[in-house]
């Protein structure tokens, strides 16, 4: 009779231990997922601010060269390069996040000026090593399409 109670107690103890392990693993998984969502939200917020700042700074630019010249005046922007009709720059956000900004500039000429469209894409710039993904092949964190009318020969 005593061995049946001991066996029942041991089985109950094992079941409680397995239940405890299940609860711990669920709580750990949820904590890890919420932490990753928080990091992704931070990256998105930084990318939105970066894209908005770039759109405001380059609003009066009429082509890629003038867009690059305006970006170079931003203190956060580094390594500004013009590549055909696109501009690429490294940006350091307010929280120290390294971002890569790519602006594709398009123009439509009119009788009194130009309508300049800009497709702004912001990428995370995690690695700068030789095997790091290039900004064109990675998925952007945020994209923004904007357009401005520039009168006459303004740059």
């Amino acid at each position: 009779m005593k061995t049946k109670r001991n066996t029942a107690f041991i089985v109950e103890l094992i079941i409680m231990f397995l239940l405890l392990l299940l609860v711990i693993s669920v709580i750990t998984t949820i904590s890890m997922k919420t932490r990753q969502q928080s990091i992704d939200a931070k990256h998105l917020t930084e990318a939105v601010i970066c894209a908005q700042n770039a759109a405001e700074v380059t609003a009066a630019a009429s082509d890629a060269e003038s867009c690059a010249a305006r970006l170079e005046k931003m203190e956060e922007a580094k390594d500004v390069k013009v590549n055909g009709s696109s501009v690429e720059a490294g940006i350091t956000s307010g929280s120290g996040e390294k971002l890569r900004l790519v602006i594709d500039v398009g123009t439509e000429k009119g009788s009194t000026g130009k309508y300049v469209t800009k497709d702004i894409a912001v990428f995370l710039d995690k690695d700068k090593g030789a095997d790091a993904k290039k900004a064109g092949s990675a998925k952007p964190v945020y994209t923004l399409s904007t357009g401005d009318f520039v009168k006459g020969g303004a740059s």
Side-chain angles (χ1 to χ4, degrees), residues 69-140:
R70 290 175 182 274
L71 275 177
E72 285 175 344
K73 293 179 184 175
M74 287 178 62
E75 62 185 53
E76 302 93 13
K78 295 178 179 77
D79 302 326
V80 179
K81 299 173 193 165
V82 178
N83 191 6
S85 66
S86 69
V87 179
E88 189 175 334
I91 302 285
T92 304
S93 69
S95 66
E97 194 77 31
K98 302 281 187 199
L99 302 170
R100 200 93 189 115
L101 182 73
V102 177
I103 304 175
D104 291 321
V105 181
T107 58
E108 295 177 27
K109 292 185 180 181
S111 60
T112 60
K114 294 180 186 178
Y115 181 69
V116 182
T117 60
K118 295 178 193 84
D119 293 320
I120 302 170
V122 182
F123 301 88
L124 282 178
D125 197 14
K126 291 181 182 176
D127 301 318
K128 289 194 171 188
D131 59 335
K133 288 184 177 179
K134 290 189 175 182
S137 63
K139 183 179 178 190

Side-chain angles (χ1 to χ4, degrees), residues 12 18 38 47-48 50-52 55 61 65 70 96 126-127 135 140 151:
E12 183 180 344
L18 292 175
S38 176
V48 168
C50 175
Q52 288 176 339
E65 287 79 19
R70 290 175 182 274
K126 291 181 182 176
D127 301 318
K151 285 187 175 184

